[in-house]
Amino acid sequence: MSSKRRKGSGDSDESNRAGSIFPDEVLERVLSLVKSHKDRSSVSLVCKDWFNAERWSRTHVFIGNCYSVSPEIVIRRFPNIRSVTLKGKPRFSDFNLVPPNWGADVHSWLVAFASKYPILEELRLKRMTVTDESLEFLSRSFPNFKALSMMSCDGFSTDGLAAIATNCKNLTELDILENDINDKSGNWLSCFPDTLKSLEVLNFASLNSDVSFEALEKLVRRCKSLKVLKVNRNINLEQLQRLLVHTPQLTELGMGSFSQEITLRQYCDLEEAFKSCKNLHTLSGLLESTVLYLQVLFPACANITFLNLSYAILHGGELAGLLSHCPVLRRLWVLDTVEDKGLKAVGLSCPLLEELRVFPAHPFADNLVHGVTESGFLAVSYGCRKLRYVLYFCHQMTNEAVATIVQNCPDFTHFRLCIMNPHQPDYLTKQPMDEAFGAVVKTCSKLRRLAISGLLTDLTFEYIGKYAKNLETLSVAFAGSTDWGMQCVMSGCPKLKKLEIRDSPFGNAALLSGLERYESMRSLWMSACKVTMNGCRVLAKQVPRLNVEVIKDDGNDECEAESVYVYRSVAGPRRDAPPFVVTL
């Protein structure tokens, strides 16, 4: 089969000799075992035979920007795709910096896939616009479709979910996470046919409407392979207990509200249900929980590696009690309501912790009394020496604390420190936070992602350019002094792929300093900076293979561009840009 495909392809004799070391069928079989996108891309560059083998053996494609390539190009390149991961809007859309109706509609992709990928089984979408019509089309166009995941998507309602439930007869996964959804009703859960027994993942935690518990219980009872179940806040404790009785095999559980009044008998039944969950490694939810009810979780915590409490308003003592029963915890997400006391418990109880995210419970509060400080972060660093990933929202920090933290945990790959007050200095010395981030990039040689904040000068960017040689993603907010800072980053970070900047003083010289770099990067986003329309036009002229998009109402070349989005694309300018997006 493979030999016949390649016959007459115009390969050179030298290329054929290089590829003939392995028979075609053996090469394709071997390459089918290679899962890394980077490794497969490298394999395809060896010779034409390896290029073709990789092309025919690939079943999954990851597209980090839906406008970097067209559906038609993907189809020509990879004829046997069964699984697609597709990302749309820039990440700053999570902060409402991308206007509504900006684009990233999935429908054209679905239409193209329907004609060439009838065997499509999985679709994973992030920050895409998805309409009910698209979900209806998806549900009817792919008879073997099995898995749908939508994260931070918009444009659809529960009617679209009803179409998926009704028509996808082989569904194994429906994962709806943090989407802007028109939550009409919970009747969609009643649309799963009685014959469906294949579901392995069901997540509707972010939906708000009541659901038919009778339909949910029947679905859970008959799906014996269900491994992931995450319900919304309308599933009460008594109902949760009834679900757990049918699902002792669960590995991930997301719970809704955890504070209803229940009888002693119901409490004991719930505790017994958790005792039977021997395979749980992920717990999330716990909305409105109380100390008493948290105790029913303790028997199920022995093997927990991931606690997602990013919606649970817990205090330090409550978190400490829970963590004392999680000896192998590796990932923890919490709200800053746990305060430094809770983070000190993390340092004492979680020696294997690799990832910590601390989110603000009240991000827009002016006079915050509670929260976390450098003290809690320090406590974690002393007790959790394996920490690799941190996202830390706080209102105060010091240079000395950050330097100590990275000395304690030098293997950070992701360091995202978000000091929430713009231009906030070291609150003790009143000095800029330059030395803090200088310590991060000097000490953490494996650093791939960095988010900086606080009062920062060009010195921070000089440090980044000089030391952050493995940096791939840099996020900047309310920072910097002059264009020199960005020039340092562009000239000094050879592996940089994504650069995100907002509310900073960088102008045209900073933008144009990346002329030789942008084609090797995935994207640049700049908003509320000092870049002008004329500067953007110069960039577009100098590097015509880039898409340079400007969100701008006024076409005056000397006016500042509100937002600039620069990305490489083999498909050329997009055809669905709204009027407020000017493509240069």
Side-chain angles (χ1 to χ4, degrees), residues 20 30 174 562:
S20 63
V30 170
L174 183 58
E562 295 174 17

Side-chain angles (χ1 to χ4, degrees), residues 74-116:
V74 173
I75 289 168
R76 286 198 302 269
R77 175 72 171 85
F78 303 113
N80 292 321
I81 294 299
R82 288 175 170 80
S83 173
V84 176
T85 298
L86 186 61
K87 293 185 177 183
K89 300 169 190 171
R91 191 184 69 88
F92 273 156
S93 64
D94 293 344
F95 302 94
N96 298 318
L97 296 180
V98 177
N101 303 313
W102 178 85
D105 194 314
V106 76
H107 197 76
S108 61
W109 288 87
L110 295 178
V111 171
F113 289 165
S115 63
K116 298 296 183 181

